[in-house]
Amino acid sequence: MFLYCWLILISPLTGFIVLSWMGDRVSRQQAAAIGCGTVGISFLVTLIALTELLLGEESSKGGVSTLYHWVTAGSFTLNLSILVDPLSVFMLLIVTGVGFVIHVYSVGYMEKDPEFNRFFSYLNFFIFSMALLVLAADFFFLIVGWAMVGLASYLLIGFWKEKTSAVLAARKAFVMNVIGDVGMVIAAFIIFENLGTLNFLDVFAAAKSTFRPNGDTILLITLLLLVGAFAKSAQMPLHTWLADAMEGPTPVSALIHAATMVTAGVYLVARCHVLFELAPFTMYLIATVGVITAIFAGSMAMVQYDIKRVIAYSTMSQLGFMFLAVGVGMYSIAMFHLMTHAFFKALLFLSAGSVIHGLNDEQDIRKMGGLRHSMPITHVTFLIGSLALAGFPLTSGFFSKEAIIINSYHADMGNIIFWALAILGAVMTGFYIFRIYFYAFAGQPRTDVHAHESPLVMIAPLCLLAFLSLTAGFGGGMVDDFLFNYFGTHMPHPDDLLFETIGLSAGLIGIVGAVVFYMTGKDRLEFAKQMLAPLHDLLLNKYYIDEIYDFLIVKPVRAIGIFLEKRAENLGIDFSVDQIGVQVREVSRLISFWQSGSVRSYALSMIVGVVTILTFVVFQ
């Protein structure tokens, strides 16, 4: 069963190997065909798996496909297996589907890049790594995919290796994600120690009878898994790498933020919801960190001027909404928002990439303006993405975000504080995304660069994503029915007219606020900046979190390293090794007269030795 699903992994892996091995020996057209085609095959196979899950009564809950038995040690077995079930197929539809669209867009965006072929090999590797993470049937291969996604992000963020800021951003992302990897590995060891297996199905089946709710062991396991989830999904306090990751090419930003890497943390909690439900304390922590991160990131997005960084902070904020949903036990709603977010966030990033492409790599929104005339298609697609992100009625974001907001209060683990903070986050979202829109597309041009519309290969993906951003919200019921086979619960629909009205109004209030400040009240904007100058500076400098980390962690570690290098290594290890050589040399010099090369001296030495021995023997 589902043996053909191995093609989902094999296809992009083959593309990565071929493009890496052949390098520039294949033409750009061939590289684009291989890169896009292999991911397209993965998407088609995923559609076949989806059809089987929907139509096959016996296979509606999925199953495990084992390629071969890899390790057997006593009662422990580790198989090369994949788990094909509603959750994994749902995620793969997003990973391969949106990933394919981004691959096609990249053909136009990276057209003039001298490392075109290398870029597509890295994209294929990224899709393979994320697919491995999603299809893993046990914690071992989950961690392998988890680490490989981190490696892929390192390669893609630092793709322009001649650019120092890109290399530093790649290193920062890699280090932050390794922190999460360590948490995942330790959690896996504890799970194996207590259950004797790493297989998902076996672990989840035995968890309730093995672990005591809110017991020390299950709390430790879930908290360590949460470290990995927060690092990968850029939640506080492991969030600082996400904005810097914008140093990579724009398609990379779209792939990381919309379809792959940062959604892995939400997927992990959803996949392991059986474990997390045994630790209500951890669930509350997830929801709390999620909603605080939503506010934290949204506040920074309100004052940034780099178009990609604003959208990056938006991703961090929307992931906070998803963690709020899984934290209060609304897993289907979180996955629904993950899907709609993939569409409109990919649309926003790729539209921003179209703007950057049309303005010769300009990313500062203060140097944009009036682009609705010179880039009409990009203007419309960016507007649709902005409306969806803000939760404008009848867009995809409206349905999924509204469900999260209202259930943040009505869910069994919800409360009024979660709801109020979610409302505030929704208001911020409407404000900061339309701030970008008005800066870039309204008014008059603020630069001498003549903007131009992007080519068809870039415009077509934008139109497709715009269509999905408008319509995907109507598929919430189908998503709920499909994921019911895994979660066992349906998406709730509380009937609360007051809260629904407030939730509906939140995004609109943010949009109106952006209109007031950026379209009709420039004087008000400057006055607000002067009155709130300390707060504005705080947000503009990202709460000085990087500086705090640098002061508390980086500088002390560097000082310790310098001290150890000078004292321990130079005066300790190096000195000891050098002294061995010095002492050997001195001893050799002292006894070297015995090896003078004179036969008479050797004969005399032999006679003296014989006499000494005889004397010892005679007088003993």
Side-chain angles (χ1 to χ4, degrees):
M1 185 189 297
F2 300 111
L3 185 63
Y4 61 88
C5 288
W6 283 97
L7 285 173
I8 299 172
L9 294 173
I10 294 172
S11 184
L13 178 61
T14 302
F16 165 68
I17 293 172
V18 170
L19 291 175
S20 299
W21 182 264
M22 297 299 292
D24 292 333
R25 285 175 286 179
V26 298
S27 66
R28 290 182 174 229
Q29 293 76 14
Q30 291 172 325
I34 294 172
C36 297
T38 53
V39 178
I41 291 172
S42 295
F43 179 61
L44 291 176
V45 175
T46 304
L47 288 176
I48 295 173
L50 172 65
T51 303
E52 183 171 349
L53 287 175
L54 290 174
L55 301 181
E57 294 183 3
E58 295 183 0
S59 60
S60 61
K61 292 189 177 182
V64 175
S65 175
T66 301
L67 200 61
Y68 66 90
H69 301 287
W70 187 24
V71 176
T72 300
S75 61
F76 174 72
T77 59
L78 184 62
N79 300 325
L80 194 61
S81 303
I82 57 175
L83 176 58
V84 183
D85 65 359
L87 181 60
S88 61
V89 170
F90 180 81
M91 278 294 296
L92 285 171
L93 287 171
I94 299 170
V95 172
T96 60
V98 178
F100 174 73
V101 173
I102 294 172
H103 272 66
V104 174
Y105 176 94
S106 301
V107 175
Y109 191 87
M110 301 297 290
E111 180 183 11
K112 297 180 181 179
D113 196 285
E115 297 289 343
F116 183 89
N117 293 10
R118 180 168 66 91
F119 181 77
F120 272 89
S121 72
Y122 287 173
L123 284 186
N124 274 190
F125 179 63
F126 206 147
I127 295 295
F128 162 74
S129 302
M130 189 65 191
L132 176 61
L133 185 158
V134 171
L135 282 170
D138 53 57
F139 282 98
F140 178 83
F141 284 107
L142 171 71
I143 293 171
V144 172
W146 202 269
M148 291 176 69
V149 166
L151 173 60
S153 68
Y154 172 80
L155 295 173
L156 284 169
I157 294 169
F159 177 76
W160 288 320
K161 54 184 181 296
E162 68 282 354
K163 188 178 177 183
T164 302
S165 58
V167 174
L168 293 177
R171 187 177 66 185
K172 186 176 185 179
F174 187 79
V175 170
M176 280 290 187
N177 279 276
V178 166
I179 295 173
D181 296 347
V182 172
M184 296 275 290
V185 170
I186 298 174
F189 272 112
I190 298 174
I191 290 172
F192 177 73
E193 180 184 7
N194 285 272
L195 299 177
T197 181
L198 293 175
N199 182 278
F200 282 149
L201 300 181
D202 295 338
V203 168
F204 300 154
K208 291 184 179 180
S209 60
T210 304
F211 301 118
R212 178 172 52 86
N214 261 346
D216 294 342
T217 304
I218 192 64
L219 280 176
L220 183 59
I221 290 172
T222 53
L223 289 173
L224 288 170
L225 289 175
L226 205 56
V227 173
F230 282 171
K232 196 68 74 182
S233 295
Q235 298 295 284
M236 294 180 62
L238 303 174
H239 66 279
T240 55
W241 66 271
L242 191 65
D244 291 343
M246 298 302 99
E247 295 292 339
T250 300
V252 173
S253 303
L255 192 62
I256 290 176
H257 287 248
T260 57
M261 182 173 176
V262 297
T263 60
V266 179
Y267 167 77
L268 174 66
V269 178
R271 170 63 73 191
C272 300
H273 71 280
V274 173
L275 299 179
F276 283 96
E277 286 174 352
L278 292 171
F281 172 81
T282 307
M283 294 283 282
Y284 276 114
L285 179 62
I286 294 172
T288 301
V289 172
V291 73
I292 291 175
T293 301
I295 301 300
F296 180 77
S299 64
M300 291 186 287
M302 293 170 67
V303 299
Q304 299 296 317
Y305 294 104
D306 186 310
I307 187 170
K308 287 173 62 176
R309 284 180 179 263
V310 173
I311 302 174
Y313 283 121
S314 165
T315 299
M316 182 177 160
S317 180
Q318 296 308 301
L319 287 166
F321 278 97
M322 297 177 209
F323 275 106
L324 170 61
V326 294
V328 297
M330 300 294 103
Y331 310 109
S332 293
I333 296 176
M335 299 308 295
F336 180 38
H337 192 54
L338 188 152
M339 179 190 75
T340 61
H341 174 265
F343 297 145
F344 62 70
K345 187 51 59 67
L347 176 61
L348 285 171
F349 265 116
L350 298 187
S351 297
S354 181
V355 170
I356 295 167
H357 182 270
L359 291 176
N360 298 333
D361 299 327
E362 182 59 65
Q363 295 184 201
D364 192 332
I365 58 176
R366 292 170 294 187
K367 298 179 182 179
M368 300 177 185
L371 295 178
R372 68 185 185 280
H373 302 298
S374 54
M375 305 182 71
I377 300 177
T378 300
H379 163 239
V380 172
T381 57
F382 192 93
L383 176 60
I384 291 173
S386 300
L387 290 171
L389 173 61
F392 193 82
L394 301 184
T395 61
S396 61
F398 164 74
F399 292 100
S400 56
K401 188 184 291 184
E402 178 72 15
I404 291 176
I405 292 174
I406 195 168
N407 281 287
S408 66
Y409 174 76
H410 284 284
D412 291 339
M413 299 183 70
N415 57 60
I416 192 66
I417 297 176
F418 288 162
W419 175 83
L421 292 177
I423 289 292
L424 178 58
V427 173
M428 287 181 172
T429 302
F431 180 86
Y432 65 66
I433 194 57
F434 273 87
R435 169 178 175 265
I436 292 293
Y437 171 77
F438 293 137
Y439 257 118
F441 295 97
Q444 299 300 317
R446 303 182 187 89
T447 178
D448 295 332
V449 177
H450 178 66
H452 56 85
E453 189 60 272
S454 299
L456 180 61
V457 72
M458 294 171 63
I459 291 300
L462 294 183
C463 294
L464 175 60
L465 289 169
F467 173 76
L468 293 172
S469 298
L470 286 173
T471 60
F474 295 100
M478 292 184 289
V479 171
D480 182 38
D481 291 338
F482 183 61
L483 293 179
F484 174 79
N485 290 320
Y486 182 73
F487 296 120
T489 57
H490 279 293
M491 190 185 302
H493 302 280
D495 186 13
D496 191 326
L497 182 60
L498 175 62
F499 276 30
E500 287 179 355
T501 304
I502 295 174
L504 170 64
S505 304
L508 298 177
I509 292 172
I511 295 174
V512 171
V515 171
V516 169
F517 278 103
Y518 294 97
M519 293 300 295
T520 63
K522 296 295 178 66
D523 293 337
R524 298 191 198 99
L525 178 62
E526 293 303 321
F527 178 75
K529 285 183 179 180
Q530 293 177 4
M531 291 296 294
L532 302 173
L535 178 60
H536 180 270
D537 292 341
L538 180 67
L539 298 179
L540 190 62
N541 289 282
K542 301 166 288 186
Y543 292 93
Y544 297 98
I545 299 295
D546 283 304
E547 289 77 7
I548 292 172
Y549 284 173
D550 186 65
F551 178 77
L552 295 179
I553 300 174
V554 177
K555 287 183 178 179
V557 170
R558 184 176 296 156
I560 293 172
I562 293 173
F563 173 81
L564 292 176
E565 180 186 15
K566 291 182 177 179
R567 300 294 179 180
E569 186 172 355
N570 294 342
L571 299 181
I573 299 173
D574 288 351
F575 179 78
S576 300
V577 173
D578 292 342
Q579 282 302 306
I580 292 174
V582 170
Q583 296 306 319
V584 169
R585 185 178 67 245
E586 290 300 316
V587 172
S588 299
R589 186 179 61 80
L590 292 174
I591 65 175
S592 62
F593 73 91
W594 293 103
Q595 300 295 325
S596 63
S598 173
V599 177
R600 291 179 180 180
S601 298
Y602 295 162
L604 177 62
S605 298
M606 291 175 64
I607 293 171
V608 171
V610 170
V611 171
T612 301
I613 293 172
L614 290 175
T615 302
F616 177 77
V617 172
V618 171
F619 294 101
Q620 185 178 10

